[in-house]
Amino acid sequence: MYHILVCDDEEKIRGIIKKYAVFEGYEVSEAGNGMEAIALCRENSYDLIIMDVMMPELDGFSACREIRKNSATPIIMLSARGEEYDRIHGFELGIDDYVVKPFSPKELMMRAAAIIKRSGGDGNDQFTFEGLTVDFTARLVYVDGRRTEMSPKEYDLFFYMVKNHGIALTRERLIHDVWGYDFYGDDRTLDTHIKLLRKSLGPYSRCIITLRGVGYRFETVSEEGAR
């Protein structure tokens, strides 16, 4: 049985999430603030953390930053704010998904299931292009010999694009195959991750080609060819 930690200062919201999660077969633990969530994560292992941003004592972003020091447990962030800055900040901290309140509990559970079941890579293979090296099995990316840190979802998105290099990938296909659920509403989540991914790749950001009106394509473009 998968174990989920739900952290929100509003008992009613924790109760709603727990009700749906238990119905889906999950074991659920609760925390009322960031400090409590950190303490629980030090004592227990979870398959997923659902964390609110605005909480007393310690906000969700700070709690996530502290948890990430010792744990790679997937995190879904909940927030009443949907600004791009907040989403980018969360993804830079290593969260896996960002859900804006009010939300559909059913959709939240679909996202949770997709993240928990996400594959950690398939095959003992690597991809190399000039100074870019991708190790799918170890989930590592090196840019000119230096290891590049990415969020879990950045890795998922980048690995998917590299494995399908040279293929035009529509926005719909990327969202469905990488996020693993039927996407509803705002598709800026994909654009935010592409922006972060390009930042992480440095000079090799040129390999992510924007296909206007369609989506994106990963292509091995040399530096001279990009000029």
Side-chain angles (χ1 to χ4, degrees), residues 118-180:
R118 186 179 59 229
S119 172
D122 54 346
N124 185 25
D125 54 337
Q126 293 187 352
F127 172 87
T128 302
F129 170 67
E130 296 181 355
L132 175 65
T133 300
V134 182
D135 188 326
F136 297 109
T137 303
R139 288 178 69 83
L140 295 174
V141 176
Y142 292 90
V143 174
D144 293 331
R146 300 186 63 178
R147 179 175 171 180
T148 299
E149 296 294 337
M150 299 181 182
S151 70
K153 191 57 68 177
E154 281 180 80
Y155 281 120
D156 290 341
L157 176 59
F158 185 49
F159 290 172
Y160 183 84
M161 295 183 74
V162 172
K163 289 181 178 181
N164 290 278
H165 64 275
I167 299 175
L169 301 170
T170 65
R171 301 173 66 85
E172 292 77 13
R173 179 176 173 182
L174 284 168
I175 289 172
H176 180 274
D177 290 356
V178 176
W179 271 257

Side-chain angles (χ1 to χ4, degrees), residues 40-159:
L40 287 171
C41 286
R42 287 172 177 168
E43 299 173 356
N44 306 278
S45 295
Y46 300 99
D47 297 290
L48 176 71
I49 300 171
I50 298 177
M51 176 92 68
D52 186 32
V53 172
M54 301 302 294
M55 295 184 292
E57 296 191 40
L58 192 68
D59 65 90
F61 288 139
S62 298
C64 177
R65 184 182 297 108
E66 189 64 28
I67 291 171
R68 275 288 171 262
K69 291 180 180 180
N70 302 297
S71 172
T73 302
I75 297 175
I76 295 178
M77 196 71 83
L78 302 178
S79 177
R81 295 158 55 95
E83 285 83 354
E84 183 182 35
Y85 169 80
D86 290 324
R87 295 198 305 274
I88 290 177
H89 184 45
F91 292 132
E92 287 179 332
L93 289 175
I95 70 169
D96 295 75
D97 207 346
Y98 190 101
V99 177
V100 179
K101 295 179 178 179
F103 57 86
S104 160
K106 184 176 181 180
E107 181 186 346
L108 179 61
M109 288 300 102
M110 291 174 67
R111 297 187 182 215
I115 290 173
I116 289 176
K117 296 176 182 178
R118 186 179 59 229
S119 172
D122 54 346
N124 185 25
D125 54 337
Q126 293 187 352
F127 172 87
T128 302
F129 170 67
E130 296 181 355
L132 175 65
T133 300
V134 182
D135 188 326
F136 297 109
T137 303
R139 288 178 69 83
L140 295 174
V141 176
Y142 292 90
V143 174
D144 293 331
R146 300 186 63 178
R147 179 175 171 180
T148 299
E149 296 294 337
M150 299 181 182
S151 70
K153 191 57 68 177
E154 281 180 80
Y155 281 120
D156 290 341
L157 176 59
F158 185 49
F159 290 172

